[in-house]
Short mmCIF file of all heavy atoms in Angstrom, two decimals:
data_model
loop_
_atom_site.label_atom_id
_atom_site.label_comp_id
_atom_site.label_asym_id
_atom_site.label_seq_id
_atom_site.Cartn_x
_atom_site.Cartn_y
_atom_site.Cartn_z
N MET V 68 190.42 40.18 100.89
CA MET V 68 189.65 40.66 102.05
C MET V 68 190.44 41.64 102.91
O MET V 68 189.88 42.27 103.80
CB MET V 68 189.11 39.50 102.88
CG MET V 68 190.09 38.77 103.73
SD MET V 68 189.26 37.52 104.74
CE MET V 68 189.93 36.05 104.02
N LEU V 69 191.72 41.82 102.65
CA LEU V 69 192.54 42.70 103.48
C LEU V 69 191.99 44.13 103.58
O LEU V 69 191.93 44.67 104.69
CB LEU V 69 193.99 42.71 102.99
CG LEU V 69 194.76 41.43 103.29
CD1 LEU V 69 196.11 41.43 102.59
CD2 LEU V 69 194.93 41.24 104.79
N PRO V 70 191.57 44.76 102.48
CA PRO V 70 190.98 46.11 102.63
C PRO V 70 189.72 46.11 103.49
O PRO V 70 189.48 47.04 104.27
CB PRO V 70 190.67 46.53 101.20
CG PRO V 70 191.55 45.70 100.34
CD PRO V 70 191.71 44.40 101.06
N LYS V 71 188.93 45.06 103.38
CA LYS V 71 187.71 44.95 104.21
C LYS V 71 188.08 44.82 105.68
O LYS V 71 187.45 45.43 106.55
CB LYS V 71 186.88 43.74 103.77
CG LYS V 71 186.47 43.75 102.34
CD LYS V 71 185.39 44.75 102.11
CE LYS V 71 184.91 44.69 100.67
NZ LYS V 71 183.86 45.67 100.42
N LEU V 72 189.10 44.01 105.97
CA LEU V 72 189.54 43.83 107.35
C LEU V 72 190.11 45.14 107.91
O LEU V 72 189.84 45.48 109.06
CB LEU V 72 190.59 42.72 107.44
CG LEU V 72 190.13 41.33 107.00
CD1 LEU V 72 191.28 40.34 107.12
CD2 LEU V 72 188.92 40.87 107.77
N SER V 73 190.85 45.86 107.10
CA SER V 73 191.41 47.15 107.53
C SER V 73 190.30 48.14 107.85
O SER V 73 190.37 48.87 108.84
CB SER V 73 192.32 47.73 106.45
OG SER V 73 193.47 46.95 106.31
N SER V 74 189.27 48.13 107.03
CA SER V 74 188.14 49.03 107.25
C SER V 74 187.42 48.69 108.55
O SER V 74 187.07 49.59 109.34
CB SER V 74 187.18 48.94 106.06
OG SER V 74 186.07 49.75 106.26
N HIS V 75 187.20 47.41 108.79
CA HIS V 75 186.54 46.99 110.03
C HIS V 75 187.41 47.33 111.24
O HIS V 75 186.92 47.77 112.27
CB HIS V 75 186.21 45.50 110.00
CG HIS V 75 185.43 45.05 111.20
ND1 HIS V 75 184.15 45.48 111.45
CD2 HIS V 75 185.77 44.24 112.22
CE1 HIS V 75 183.73 44.94 112.59
NE2 HIS V 75 184.70 44.18 113.07
N ARG V 76 188.70 47.16 111.10
CA ARG V 76 189.62 47.50 112.19
C ARG V 76 189.52 48.98 112.53
O ARG V 76 189.48 49.38 113.69
CB ARG V 76 191.05 47.13 111.81
CG ARG V 76 192.03 47.36 112.94
CD ARG V 76 193.46 47.03 112.51
NE ARG V 76 194.37 47.10 113.62
CZ ARG V 76 194.82 48.22 114.18
NH1 ARG V 76 194.44 49.40 113.69
NH2 ARG V 76 195.65 48.19 115.20
N ARG V 77 189.49 49.84 111.49
CA ARG V 77 189.36 51.28 111.72
C ARG V 77 188.07 51.59 112.48
O ARG V 77 188.06 52.41 113.40
CB ARG V 77 189.39 52.06 110.40
CG ARG V 77 190.79 52.33 109.88
CD ARG V 77 190.79 53.33 108.72
NE ARG V 77 189.98 52.89 107.59
CZ ARG V 77 190.38 52.06 106.64
NH1 ARG V 77 191.59 51.54 106.67
NH2 ARG V 77 189.57 51.72 105.65
N LEU V 78 186.99 50.93 112.12
CA LEU V 78 185.72 51.12 112.81
C LEU V 78 185.84 50.73 114.28
O LEU V 78 185.37 51.47 115.16
CB LEU V 78 184.63 50.28 112.15
CG LEU V 78 183.27 50.28 112.83
CD1 LEU V 78 182.61 51.65 112.75
CD2 LEU V 78 182.37 49.22 112.20
N LEU V 79 186.49 49.62 114.57
CA LEU V 79 186.67 49.19 115.96
C LEU V 79 187.51 50.19 116.75
O LEU V 79 187.20 50.49 117.90
CB LEU V 79 187.29 47.79 116.02
CG LEU V 79 186.41 46.66 115.49
CD1 LEU V 79 187.21 45.35 115.48
CD2 LEU V 79 185.13 46.51 116.28
N VAL V 80 188.56 50.71 116.12
CA VAL V 80 189.41 51.70 116.80
C VAL V 80 188.62 52.97 117.08
O VAL V 80 188.74 53.56 118.16
CB VAL V 80 190.69 51.99 115.97
CG1 VAL V 80 191.44 53.18 116.52
CG2 VAL V 80 191.59 50.76 115.94
N GLU V 81 187.79 53.38 116.13
CA GLU V 81 186.93 54.56 116.36
C GLU V 81 186.02 54.33 117.56
O GLU V 81 185.82 55.23 118.39
CB GLU V 81 186.09 54.86 115.12
CG GLU V 81 186.87 55.46 113.98
CD GLU V 81 186.03 55.60 112.71
OE1 GLU V 81 184.78 55.46 112.78
OE2 GLU V 81 186.63 55.83 111.65
N ARG V 82 185.47 53.13 117.67
CA ARG V 82 184.60 52.80 118.80
C ARG V 82 185.37 52.84 120.11
O ARG V 82 184.85 53.31 121.13
CB ARG V 82 183.95 51.44 118.61
CG ARG V 82 182.88 51.45 117.56
CD ARG V 82 182.24 50.10 117.42
NE ARG V 82 181.26 50.10 116.36
CZ ARG V 82 180.76 49.00 115.83
NH1 ARG V 82 181.13 47.81 116.28
NH2 ARG V 82 179.88 49.08 114.86
N ILE V 83 186.60 52.34 120.09
CA ILE V 83 187.43 52.41 121.29
C ILE V 83 187.59 53.85 121.73
O ILE V 83 187.44 54.18 122.91
CB ILE V 83 188.82 51.78 121.06
CG1 ILE V 83 188.71 50.27 120.96
CG2 ILE V 83 189.80 52.17 122.16
CD1 ILE V 83 190.00 49.59 120.51
N HIS V 84 187.88 54.73 120.78
CA HIS V 84 188.07 56.13 121.11
C HIS V 84 186.79 56.76 121.65
O HIS V 84 186.83 57.56 122.59
CB HIS V 84 188.59 56.90 119.90
CG HIS V 84 189.97 56.52 119.51
ND1 HIS V 84 190.47 56.70 118.24
CD2 HIS V 84 190.97 55.92 120.20
CE1 HIS V 84 191.72 56.25 118.19
NE2 HIS V 84 192.04 55.77 119.36
N GLU V 85 185.64 56.40 121.06
CA GLU V 85 184.38 56.92 121.56
C GLU V 85 184.14 56.48 123.00
O GLU V 85 183.73 57.28 123.85
CB GLU V 85 183.23 56.46 120.67
CG GLU V 85 183.21 57.11 119.29
CD GLU V 85 182.20 56.47 118.35
OE1 GLU V 85 181.40 55.62 118.78
OE2 GLU V 85 182.21 56.84 117.16
N TYR V 86 184.37 55.21 123.26
CA TYR V 86 184.18 54.70 124.62
C TYR V 86 185.19 55.30 125.59
O TYR V 86 184.87 55.59 126.74
CB TYR V 86 184.24 53.17 124.66
CG TYR V 86 182.95 52.53 124.19
CD1 TYR V 86 182.88 51.89 122.97
CD2 TYR V 86 181.81 52.58 124.99
CE1 TYR V 86 181.70 51.31 122.54
CE2 TYR V 86 180.63 52.00 124.57
CZ TYR V 86 180.57 51.36 123.34
OH TYR V 86 179.40 50.80 122.92
N GLN V 87 186.41 55.52 125.11
CA GLN V 87 187.41 56.14 125.98
C GLN V 87 186.99 57.56 126.35
O GLN V 87 187.13 57.98 127.50
CB GLN V 87 188.79 56.15 125.33
CG GLN V 87 189.89 56.67 126.25
CD GLN V 87 190.04 55.82 127.50
OE1 GLN V 87 190.25 54.62 127.40
NE2 GLN V 87 189.93 56.43 128.67
N ASP V 88 186.44 58.29 125.39
CA ASP V 88 185.94 59.63 125.69
C ASP V 88 184.82 59.59 126.73
O ASP V 88 184.78 60.42 127.64
CB ASP V 88 185.43 60.32 124.41
CG ASP V 88 186.55 60.73 123.46
OD1 ASP V 88 187.73 60.74 123.88
OD2 ASP V 88 186.24 61.02 122.28
N ALA V 89 183.92 58.62 126.59
CA ALA V 89 182.83 58.48 127.55
C ALA V 89 183.37 58.14 128.94
O ALA V 89 182.91 58.70 129.95
CB ALA V 89 181.84 57.41 127.09
N ILE V 90 184.34 57.26 129.00
CA ILE V 90 184.96 56.89 130.28
C ILE V 90 185.64 58.11 130.90
O ILE V 90 185.51 58.36 132.11
CB ILE V 90 185.96 55.73 130.09
CG1 ILE V 90 185.22 54.44 129.76
CG2 ILE V 90 186.85 55.55 131.32
CD1 ILE V 90 186.11 53.32 129.27
N ASP V 91 186.34 58.89 130.08
CA ASP V 91 187.00 60.09 130.58
C ASP V 91 185.99 61.07 131.17
O ASP V 91 186.25 61.68 132.22
CB ASP V 91 187.81 60.78 129.48
CG ASP V 91 189.03 59.98 129.05
OD1 ASP V 91 189.42 59.03 129.77
OD2 ASP V 91 189.58 60.29 127.97
N CYS V 92 184.84 61.22 130.53
CA CYS V 92 183.80 62.11 131.05
C CYS V 92 183.30 61.62 132.40
O CYS V 92 183.11 62.42 133.34
CB CYS V 92 182.63 62.20 130.07
SG CYS V 92 183.01 63.16 128.59
#
Side-chain angles (χ1 to χ4, degrees):
M68 74 175 114
L69 287 171
K71 303 286 184 181
L72 299 179
S73 292
S74 178
H75 185 66
R76 184 182 187 284
R77 277 191 302 277
L78 175 67
L79 293 174
V80 169
E81 286 174 13
R82 287 182 183 165
I83 288 171
H84 292 157
E85 289 171 7
Y86 281 108
Q87 185 61 55
D88 288 345
I90 290 168
D91 291 345
C92 287

